[in-house]
Amino acid sequence: MSERIGFIGLGIMGRGMVRNLLKAGFAVQVWNRTAARMGELAADGAQPTSSPAELARQCDLIITCVSDTPDVAAVLLGEQGVIAGAQPGALVIDMSTISPQATQEFAARLAERGVHMLDAPVSGGSEGAAKGTLSIMVGGDAADVERAMPVFQAMGKTITHVGGTGAGQTVKLVNQILVVGSMQAMAEALLFAQAGGVDLEKTLAAVSGGAGGSWTLSNRGPQVIRRDWRPGFMIDLQAKDLRLVLDAADDLGAPLPSTALIFQLYRTLQARGLGKEGNHAIVKALEAMAGIEVGGER
Ligand code: NAP
């Protein structure tokens, strides 16, 4: 008998992920805090439930994709949380981006009830969630990863078992350090090019294929030049992830001077009310220091 799937958190990511599970032929029960969001997916064949506990009572595999560490705590361990309904032998898969340390604590609490847990955060954004092409970084026991593999394959393309409980979250945070480092490098480079009076498009064409090239430069550089701040990934979520990185680095005693600085730059943008813009808008923090603007109408 195929596993009964439950999915908690029908946000930008969760909605696409559930649709891909349904497309792959899984029966999926769903729960979302804002109940109205369940209606849309019921039309696609998902079954709404009344609480995480009720969902867990009826499911073998329970997936969570909510915002932040306290939100995962609420849906897993709250009064009407998964822990109140899950059967021994059930497998919880948390696909949110949250604290690696808290992940270990949640897994230990669930294990007391005989419930297994994987951390499986993703990258690839809303587009990857919709297309089923997410990269999934998985932490936990190999047998649980094997059990979850058909479900991962319905939602993602690159699935990597990176280590024990919490390792998936640690690797996701590694990814975020790399993302913001390349955003900051792109922003400084374009600001310098603007100050130097060179043509920005020709500059991109000249350097993108060389050692200084990157996905960020090729994909977000042209957006910066056009001053198009629509998000691939929002500043508010980026700042949340950097807070997770810096908290974890503090626990580990690992100095991350550039990442700490970039976090502060994103904070200045949030303070200016720009939290819903894309993370490439970091260039605006540098523009405020320099008193010049990059790109736009010429
Ligand atoms: P989102 O659109 O803001 O959706 C958040 C979801 O979490 C909603 O379903 C929300 O319910 C639910 N939620 C939040 N707090 C809750 C609580 N205390 N109790 C119950 N439900 C709660 O966010 P998203 O973009 O889907 O992101 C989800 C996770 O994926 C985050 O950890 C994010 O960092 C990660 N992620 C996002 C992206 C991306 O590009 N968006 C990429 C990679 C990873 P309501 O509907 O009631 O608000």
Side-chain angles (χ1 to χ4, degrees):
M1 201 183 74
S2 79
E3 306 241 47
R4 297 166 300 172
I5 314 292
F7 201 107
I8 294 173
L10 306 177
I12 291 173
M13 298 299 283
R15 287 198 292 272
M17 292 155 87
V18 168
R19 286 204 175 94
N20 284 318
L21 289 168
L22 291 167
K23 256 189 242 161
F26 290 104
V28 187
Q29 312 227 12
V30 293
W31 181 81
N32 195 64
R33 179 179 59 182
T34 306
R37 279 185 161 172
M38 291 190 276
E40 201 185 305
L41 282 162
D44 294 333
Q47 281 197 354
T49 57
S50 62
S51 67
E54 191 216 339
L55 175 144
R57 261 190 286 280
Q58 302 171 34
C59 292
D60 310 299
L61 253 65
I62 299 140
I63 302 170
T64 51
C65 189
V66 295
S67 305
D68 202 350
T69 310
D71 309 311
V72 175
V75 298
L76 291 185
L77 308 175
E79 206 180 313
Q80 280 301 307
V82 166
I83 202 165
Q87 310 294 321
L91 174 60
V92 168
I93 307 170
D94 179 35
M95 304 190 79
S96 327
T97 303
I98 66 160
S99 150
Q101 196 185 11
T103 294
Q104 290 177 346
E105 289 161 18
F106 299 158
R109 286 282 304 279
L110 291 167
E112 288 167 10
R113 305 283 181 95
V115 175
H116 304 223
M117 180 171 169
L118 294 173
D119 47 300
V122 302
S123 73
S126 55
E127 199 187 29
K131 288 188 177 159
T133 56
L134 292 169
S135 293
I136 308 178
M137 295 145 257
V138 193
D141 287 347
D144 291 330
V145 178
E146 199 180 320
R147 179 177 172 191
M149 200 47 89
V151 166
F152 288 147
Q153 281 163 345
M155 296 184 283
K157 200 166 71 172
T158 308
I159 299 141
T160 316
H161 181 200
V162 292
T165 304
Q169 295 294 355
T170 299
V171 173
K172 169 71 187 181
L173 298 184
V174 168
N175 182 69
Q176 298 310 71
I177 294 169
L178 292 165
V179 165
V180 297
S182 68
M183 283 293 165
Q184 169 73 350
M186 175 206 52
E188 284 195 9
L190 289 178
L191 185 95
F192 175 78
Q194 179 78 40
V198 291
D199 182 277
L200 296 178
E201 267 143 25
K202 285 186 183 154
T203 302
L204 279 192
V207 303
S208 293
S214 65
W215 183 95
T216 301
L217 190 67
S218 299
N219 290 277
R220 299 295 175 235
Q223 253 190 286
V224 169
I225 294 173
R226 292 196 304 275
R227 302 196 72 73
D228 169 2
W229 310 117
R230 280 175 297 177
F233 191 64
M234 259 193 271
I235 285 172
D236 281 342
L237 277 180
Q238 187 68 83
K240 177 209 76 159
D241 287 359
L242 289 181
R243 176 177 47 71
L244 294 171
V245 168
L246 295 173
D247 284 351
D250 189 29
D251 286 344
L252 296 169
L256 300 181
S258 305
T259 309
L261 171 68
I262 295 167
F263 174 64
Q264 297 301 335
L265 294 178
Y266 279 119
R267 277 281 187 245
T268 68
L269 298 179
Q270 287 181 303
R272 287 164 58 191
L274 304 179
K276 304 292 176 229
E277 294 192 351
N279 52 358
H280 54 294
I282 192 167
V283 73
K284 291 186 180 180
L286 303 179
E287 288 173 344
M289 295 178 199
I292 58 172
E293 258 192 17
V294 176
E297 297 297 320
R298 270 170 296 150

Short mmCIF file of all heavy atoms in Angstrom, two decimals, residues 1-24:
data_model
loop_
_atom_site.label_atom_id
_atom_site.label_comp_id
_atom_site.label_asym_id
_atom_site.label_seq_id
_atom_site.Cartn_x
_atom_site.Cartn_y
_atom_site.Cartn_z
N MET A 1 0.85 -1.20 0.00
CA MET A 1 0.00 0.00 0.00
C MET A 1 0.89 1.25 0.00
O MET A 1 1.87 1.30 0.72
CB MET A 1 -0.87 0.00 1.25
CG MET A 1 -2.11 0.86 1.13
SD MET A 1 -3.06 0.90 2.68
CE MET A 1 -2.04 1.94 3.71
N SER A 2 0.52 2.23 -0.84
CA SER A 2 1.40 3.40 -0.90
C SER A 2 1.17 4.27 0.35
O SER A 2 0.11 4.24 0.96
CB SER A 2 1.17 4.19 -2.18
OG SER A 2 0.02 4.97 -2.05
N GLU A 3 2.19 5.03 0.68
CA GLU A 3 2.15 5.82 1.91
C GLU A 3 1.13 6.95 1.77
O GLU A 3 0.98 7.54 0.70
CB GLU A 3 3.53 6.41 2.16
CG GLU A 3 4.63 5.36 2.16
CD GLU A 3 5.35 5.30 3.48
OE1 GLU A 3 4.67 5.26 4.53
OE2 GLU A 3 6.60 5.29 3.45
N ARG A 4 0.44 7.24 2.86
CA ARG A 4 -0.50 8.35 2.87
C ARG A 4 0.27 9.62 3.25
O ARG A 4 0.93 9.66 4.29
CB ARG A 4 -1.62 8.09 3.88
CG ARG A 4 -2.47 6.86 3.51
CD ARG A 4 -3.33 6.43 4.67
NE ARG A 4 -2.50 6.09 5.84
CZ ARG A 4 -2.97 5.83 7.06
NH1 ARG A 4 -4.26 5.88 7.30
NH2 ARG A 4 -2.16 5.54 8.05
N ILE A 5 0.17 10.63 2.39
CA ILE A 5 0.97 11.85 2.57
C ILE A 5 0.13 12.97 3.18
O ILE A 5 -1.00 13.21 2.75
CB ILE A 5 1.49 12.38 1.20
CG1 ILE A 5 2.07 11.26 0.33
CG2 ILE A 5 2.50 13.50 1.40
CD1 ILE A 5 3.32 10.65 0.83
N GLY A 6 0.71 13.67 4.15
CA GLY A 6 0.10 14.88 4.69
C GLY A 6 1.03 16.05 4.43
O GLY A 6 2.25 15.90 4.51
N PHE A 7 0.47 17.22 4.11
CA PHE A 7 1.31 18.39 3.81
C PHE A 7 0.79 19.60 4.59
O PHE A 7 -0.37 19.99 4.45
CB PHE A 7 1.30 18.68 2.30
CG PHE A 7 2.48 19.50 1.85
CD1 PHE A 7 3.50 18.91 1.10
CD2 PHE A 7 2.59 20.85 2.18
CE1 PHE A 7 4.61 19.66 0.70
CE2 PHE A 7 3.69 21.60 1.79
CZ PHE A 7 4.70 21.01 1.04
N ILE A 8 1.68 20.20 5.38
CA ILE A 8 1.32 21.34 6.23
C ILE A 8 2.06 22.58 5.76
O ILE A 8 3.30 22.58 5.72
CB ILE A 8 1.69 21.02 7.70
CG1 ILE A 8 0.82 19.86 8.20
CG2 ILE A 8 1.54 22.26 8.58
CD1 ILE A 8 1.21 19.35 9.58
N GLY A 9 1.32 23.63 5.36
CA GLY A 9 1.94 24.89 4.94
C GLY A 9 1.79 25.09 3.43
O GLY A 9 2.63 24.64 2.65
N LEU A 10 0.71 25.77 3.05
CA LEU A 10 0.41 25.94 1.62
C LEU A 10 0.76 27.37 1.19
O LEU A 10 -0.06 28.10 0.67
CB LEU A 10 -1.06 25.63 1.35
CG LEU A 10 -1.52 24.25 1.85
CD1 LEU A 10 -3.01 24.06 1.61
CD2 LEU A 10 -0.72 23.13 1.17
N GLY A 11 2.01 27.75 1.44
CA GLY A 11 2.49 29.06 1.01
C GLY A 11 2.95 29.00 -0.44
O GLY A 11 2.58 28.10 -1.19
N ILE A 12 3.79 29.95 -0.81
CA ILE A 12 4.31 30.04 -2.19
C ILE A 12 4.97 28.72 -2.58
O ILE A 12 4.78 28.21 -3.68
CB ILE A 12 5.34 31.19 -2.28
CG1 ILE A 12 4.65 32.53 -2.13
CG2 ILE A 12 6.13 31.12 -3.59
CD1 ILE A 12 5.61 33.71 -2.05
N MET A 13 5.73 28.15 -1.65
CA MET A 13 6.45 26.90 -1.95
C MET A 13 5.51 25.70 -1.84
O MET A 13 5.46 24.85 -2.73
CB MET A 13 7.63 26.73 -0.98
CG MET A 13 8.67 27.82 -1.04
SD MET A 13 9.45 27.93 -2.65
CE MET A 13 10.56 26.55 -2.59
N GLY A 14 4.79 25.62 -0.74
CA GLY A 14 3.97 24.45 -0.45
C GLY A 14 2.94 24.16 -1.54
O GLY A 14 2.71 23.00 -1.89
N ARG A 15 2.34 25.22 -2.08
CA ARG A 15 1.29 25.00 -3.10
C ARG A 15 1.83 24.25 -4.32
O ARG A 15 1.23 23.29 -4.78
CB ARG A 15 0.68 26.34 -3.53
CG ARG A 15 -0.22 26.94 -2.46
CD ARG A 15 -1.14 27.99 -3.04
NE ARG A 15 -0.43 29.18 -3.47
CZ ARG A 15 -0.14 30.22 -2.71
NH1 ARG A 15 -0.51 30.21 -1.44
NH2 ARG A 15 0.49 31.27 -3.17
N GLY A 16 2.99 24.68 -4.82
CA GLY A 16 3.58 24.02 -5.98
C GLY A 16 3.99 22.59 -5.64
O GLY A 16 3.80 21.66 -6.43
N MET A 17 4.52 22.40 -4.44
CA MET A 17 5.00 21.07 -4.03
C MET A 17 3.82 20.09 -3.93
O MET A 17 3.91 18.94 -4.37
CB MET A 17 5.77 21.19 -2.71
CG MET A 17 7.09 21.94 -2.88
SD MET A 17 7.67 22.74 -1.36
CE MET A 17 8.60 21.45 -0.62
N VAL A 18 2.70 20.55 -3.36
CA VAL A 18 1.52 19.67 -3.24
C VAL A 18 1.01 19.31 -4.63
O VAL A 18 0.69 18.14 -4.90
CB VAL A 18 0.41 20.35 -2.40
CG1 VAL A 18 -0.90 19.60 -2.53
CG2 VAL A 18 0.84 20.44 -0.95
N ARG A 19 0.96 20.28 -5.52
CA ARG A 19 0.45 19.98 -6.89
C ARG A 19 1.32 18.91 -7.55
O ARG A 19 0.80 18.03 -8.24
CB ARG A 19 0.46 21.25 -7.74
CG ARG A 19 -0.66 22.18 -7.35
CD ARG A 19 -1.08 23.12 -8.47
NE ARG A 19 -2.23 23.89 -8.01
CZ ARG A 19 -2.14 25.09 -7.46
NH1 ARG A 19 -0.97 25.69 -7.33
NH2 ARG A 19 -3.23 25.70 -7.03
N ASN A 20 2.62 18.96 -7.33
CA ASN A 20 3.49 17.95 -7.94
C ASN A 20 3.31 16.57 -7.30
O ASN A 20 3.42 15.55 -7.98
CB ASN A 20 4.95 18.40 -7.90
CG ASN A 20 5.20 19.46 -8.97
OD1 ASN A 20 4.72 19.33 -10.09
ND2 ASN A 20 5.91 20.51 -8.61
N LEU A 21 3.00 16.54 -6.01
CA LEU A 21 2.71 15.25 -5.36
C LEU A 21 1.42 14.66 -5.93
O LEU A 21 1.35 13.46 -6.21
CB LEU A 21 2.59 15.44 -3.84
CG LEU A 21 3.90 15.74 -3.10
CD1 LEU A 21 3.63 16.18 -1.67
CD2 LEU A 21 4.81 14.51 -3.11
N LEU A 22 0.42 15.52 -6.10
CA LEU A 22 -0.86 15.04 -6.68
C LEU A 22 -0.63 14.52 -8.10
O LEU A 22 -1.12 13.46 -8.47
CB LEU A 22 -1.90 16.16 -6.68
CG LEU A 22 -2.41 16.61 -5.29
CD1 LEU A 22 -3.17 17.93 -5.40
CD2 LEU A 22 -3.29 15.53 -4.66
N LYS A 23 0.16 15.28 -8.88
CA LYS A 23 0.45 14.88 -10.26
C LYS A 23 1.14 13.53 -10.32
O LYS A 23 0.93 12.74 -11.23
CB LYS A 23 1.36 15.93 -10.93
CG LYS A 23 0.62 16.83 -11.89
CD LYS A 23 1.62 17.68 -12.68
CE LYS A 23 1.39 19.14 -12.38
NZ LYS A 23 2.51 20.00 -12.71
N ALA A 24 1.99 13.27 -9.30
CA ALA A 24 2.72 11.99 -9.27
C ALA A 24 1.83 10.84 -8.78
O ALA A 24 2.28 9.70 -8.70
CB ALA A 24 3.95 12.12 -8.39
#
